[in-house]
Amino acid sequence: MSLREHALALFRSAVGTVRPAPMLKRAVTLRADGCPQLLVKGRAFPVKGNLYLVGFGKAVLGMAAAAEEILGEHLMRGIINVPLGIQESLQRAGMQDMLLRPHSRIEVIEGARNNLPDQEALRGAGAIRDLAEGLTADDLLLVLISGGGSALLPAPTPPVLLEEKEKLTKMLASRGAAIQELNTVRKALSLLKGGGLARLAYPAQVVSLILSDVIGDPLDVIASGPTAASSHSVQDCLQILDKYKLLTSLPKSVETVLSSSPASPTSLEDYSHVFNVIIGSNTLALDEAKRQAEDLGYATLVLSAAICGEVSRVSALYCQLIQLVCLAFAGLRDGPLGDEVRAKLLQLAAELEIPGLNPAETLQALRGLGPDRPVCILAGGETTVQLQGSGKGGRNQELALRVGLGLHRAQAAEAGSPLGNCEIIFLSGGTDGQDGPTAAAGAFSSLELVDEARREGLDVEAFLSNNDSYTFFSQVQHGHHLLVTGLTGTNVMDIQAILIRAKERS
């Protein structure tokens, strides 16, 4: 198998282990003998004709299908908000296990085209709100949450309009705001986010099963934390708006809500009726990819499950790592070039401040690598893109393109560069099967990518300056470098894989 085929297999194995059905079935069982009980991660909740379900997110349809299978006739009613077109897409892909039964008790509302809140998502959020408000102390509410949940649970605090909140979110994203920052602002302007759903459901018992798409798995940030006490105050929201120079151009409605919001976050005591459980994460996906890579014979290193930062800086970090491995293969790790690469690597790591990444430990782990075994470096997380152009693409495709360009430049700058003695594949993909508003999940790149593009008359720098990575990858080698999976039914951020092996000498 080629490195590309191996990288694709690793990505698929990572995604497969965080598919909704296996995750949910590992976390939840129903004990039907005697007094029925719902068992969730060791805790038991009585079930007596009082079980309701709500959910929102990209992976929630599959989660609901698995929950429906487990709960059977004990489920009274459910409402889920899922991405527009997902039922048809899963049906077309033959993924019947992620679809609800005929005559299901769970109502499905599709909305949030291109992962942006819209009127259908607003209607679904209203229905979920009505269900939660009608519950009593005898009821049990099962809440299914996954990435994309923020866009699928829009309920702006009056007098804020959905259009005003959407415009503000778009402006923040276009200026490079991280998902944590976007969600902090969303929570401050929402009836259901920031613990609002849990507060509305009181005094019912709330059990939330959460598929994390956020670095570090913070309960109050995933889908903007509808069932978790918020750790953010209105002051945090104001600081983010000020950081991105939006504080002086807010709509009057947003100013009204922020000025009347409590100064401090809600206390944890108000959430004693809630049990939140993380059932899947990027870490779980990377662990499975590592196991598969080792089975394929790779010396494997997991860099971090919390890769974050602007794609230009993250791509530079990956390029330094690749160069260091290639230097080791050539026996040049401890020479002047190795010292230079290590220094750049340490500087980039210090600038990016990636959680879970220990540069000294990473360098030590890399010291043990040699040309006798191929190397696999895995990472996950979510990068950001500073939009400067009007092109089409996503963070994974732009990251892959920047790595390809960075490797090309590194080889051109160093006569006799050891990069040329190695086969190198870099893959970055979104585990939900979508990368921005495109049909791709991400892309592959290699040392040869830029030369291939130039032979076809394509200028890599021009595509990057216009944030047009999807158009680039669609054109070079007839789209061969695109990672196209279709919707996967799950979402735990992004996965990156670097595969390197020494070329056979002729």
Side-chain angles (χ1 to χ4, degrees):
M1 290 174 75
S2 67
L3 291 190
R4 187 185 189 281
E5 290 170 323
H6 280 172
L8 182 58
L10 297 182
F11 181 79
R12 286 180 169 159
S13 70
V15 171
T17 203
V18 288
R19 280 169 56 92
M23 282 189 309
L24 207 81
K25 289 173 182 177
R26 285 193 292 263
V28 179
T29 54
L30 183 77
R31 184 181 292 160
D33 55 317
C35 298
Q37 290 182 317
L38 189 68
L39 303 177
V40 183
K41 291 285 186 177
R43 280 188 57 175
F45 301 93
V47 175
K48 42 194 177 186
N50 62 343
L51 179 54
Y52 298 86
L53 179 151
V54 297
F56 29 90
K58 294 178 181 179
V60 158
L61 185 60
M63 293 169 76
E68 184 177 53
E69 184 181 335
I70 294 166
L71 303 175
E73 295 301 308
H74 293 283
L75 177 63
M76 302 304 293
R77 180 180 170 226
I79 302 169
I80 58 172
N81 260 17
V82 296
L84 185 68
I86 191 169
Q87 292 178 101
E88 183 185 345
S89 295
L90 293 175
Q91 184 87 48
R92 203 165 50 239
M95 298 166 74
Q96 302 297 328
D97 61 320
M98 292 201 186
L99 296 170
L100 297 174
R101 300 171 179 174
H103 314 297
S104 172
R105 295 180 181 179
I106 301 172
E107 178 186 358
V108 181
I109 298 172
E110 293 190 359
R113 183 189 295 272
N114 292 332
N115 201 31
L116 294 170
D118 55 20
Q119 289 301 318
E120 279 304 293
L122 186 64
R123 181 174 73 85
I128 288 171
R129 177 186 174 188
D130 291 344
L131 188 154
E133 284 184 315
L135 299 177
T136 70
D138 292 327
D139 294 324
L140 174 59
L141 179 65
L142 190 63
V143 183
L144 308 178
I145 301 174
S146 79
S150 277
L152 286 158
L153 198 69
T157 305
V160 177
L161 300 175
L162 178 62
E163 294 77 15
E164 292 173 322
K165 190 176 173 185
E166 181 181 351
K167 183 179 178 182
L168 183 59
T169 302
K170 278 184 177 178
M171 289 173 70
L172 281 166
S174 70
R175 296 184 186 197
I179 185 66
Q180 292 88 338
E181 294 174 317
L182 291 174
N183 285 355
T184 299
V185 174
R186 284 169 173 155
K187 285 189 295 183
L189 302 174
S190 175
L191 290 172
L192 297 177
K193 299 181 174 82
L197 177 60
R199 293 195 298 273
L200 288 174
Y202 182 84
Q205 173 68 56
V206 176
V207 177
S208 284
L209 306 177
I210 302 166
L211 178 59
S212 173
D213 71 328
V214 179
I215 286 169
D217 307 331
L219 293 171
D220 66 319
V221 175
I222 303 163
S224 301
T227 60
S230 177
S231 61
H232 300 106
S233 66
V234 69
Q235 193 59 40
D236 296 319
C237 175
L238 293 171
Q239 286 176 355
I240 291 166
L241 293 170
D242 184 47
K243 174 182 175 182
Y244 294 103
K245 296 180 171 52
L246 292 170
L247 204 52
T248 57
S249 57
L250 296 174
K252 287 292 181 189
S253 58
V254 173
E255 289 182 358
T256 299
V257 170
L258 293 179
S259 64
S260 59
S261 299
S264 57
T266 316
S267 69
L268 287 170
E269 289 76 20
D270 294 333
Y271 296 87
S272 58
H273 63 299
V274 181
F275 182 49
N276 288 310
V277 181
I278 301 281
I279 63 170
S281 67
N282 191 271
T283 298
L284 187 67
L286 287 175
D287 287 346
E288 176 61 19
K290 181 175 187 287
R291 190 180 70 79
Q292 293 284 343
E294 288 172 342
D295 285 349
L296 288 169
Y298 286 85
T300 307
L301 170 66
V302 175
L303 202 60
S304 170
I307 297 294
C308 55
E310 217 278 327
V311 286
S312 62
R313 309 306 292 153
V314 175
S315 64
L317 179 78
Y318 284 143
C319 286
Q320 299 305 320
L321 278 169
I322 292 167
Q323 287 184 78
L324 205 55
V325 172
C326 292
L327 283 166
F329 278 16
L332 301 172
R333 178 175 47 210
D334 296 320
L337 184 54
D339 292 340
E340 182 184 334
V341 170
R342 272 190 295 275
K344 288 180 181 176
L345 183 82
L346 292 170
Q347 182 183 345
L348 284 162
E351 290 174 6
L352 286 164
E353 295 181 332
I354 294 169
L357 174 60
N358 185 318
E361 287 182 3
T362 300
L363 289 174
Q364 187 58 40
L366 291 174
R367 290 197 74 83
L369 304 177
D372 52 321
R373 288 179 72 193
V375 169
C376 173
I377 299 174
L378 297 166
E382 193 165 285
T383 57
T384 54
V385 175
Q386 188 76 42
L387 292 177
Q388 297 172 321
S390 57
K392 192 175 182 182
R395 58 181 180 264
N396 289 288
Q397 292 164 83
E398 181 152 332
L399 178 60
L401 186 49
R402 287 185 179 277
V403 167
L405 179 59
L407 293 176
H408 174 81
R409 285 174 172 170
Q411 185 181 36
E414 188 67 38
S417 168
L419 289 170
N421 298 321
C422 295
E423 286 183 70
I424 303 162
I425 278 288
F426 175 83
L427 166 65
S428 187
T431 56
D432 60 353
Q434 292 179 305
D435 188 36
T438 75
F444 300 84
S445 66
S446 66
L447 184 63
E448 296 77 28
L449 178 66
V450 173
D451 287 333
E452 290 170 2
R454 287 180 176 173
R455 282 195 293 271
E456 297 182 31
L458 301 175
D459 183 345
V460 173
E461 288 92 338
F463 282 98
L464 280 172
S465 66
N466 195 35
N467 298 116
D468 205 14
S469 54
Y470 177 74
T471 304
F472 170 84
F473 280 116
S474 298
Q475 292 181 6
V476 70
Q477 287 204 334
H478 308 289
H480 173 73
H481 295 287
L482 282 172
L483 172 65
V484 181
T485 64
L487 290 176
T488 63
T490 191
N491 182 24
V492 293
M493 300 184 289
D494 304 331
I495 297 286
Q496 280 104 44
I498 300 167
L499 275 59
I500 306 170
R501 67 184 173 199
K503 287 182 179 176
E504 292 184 11
R505 297 184 180 180
S506 52

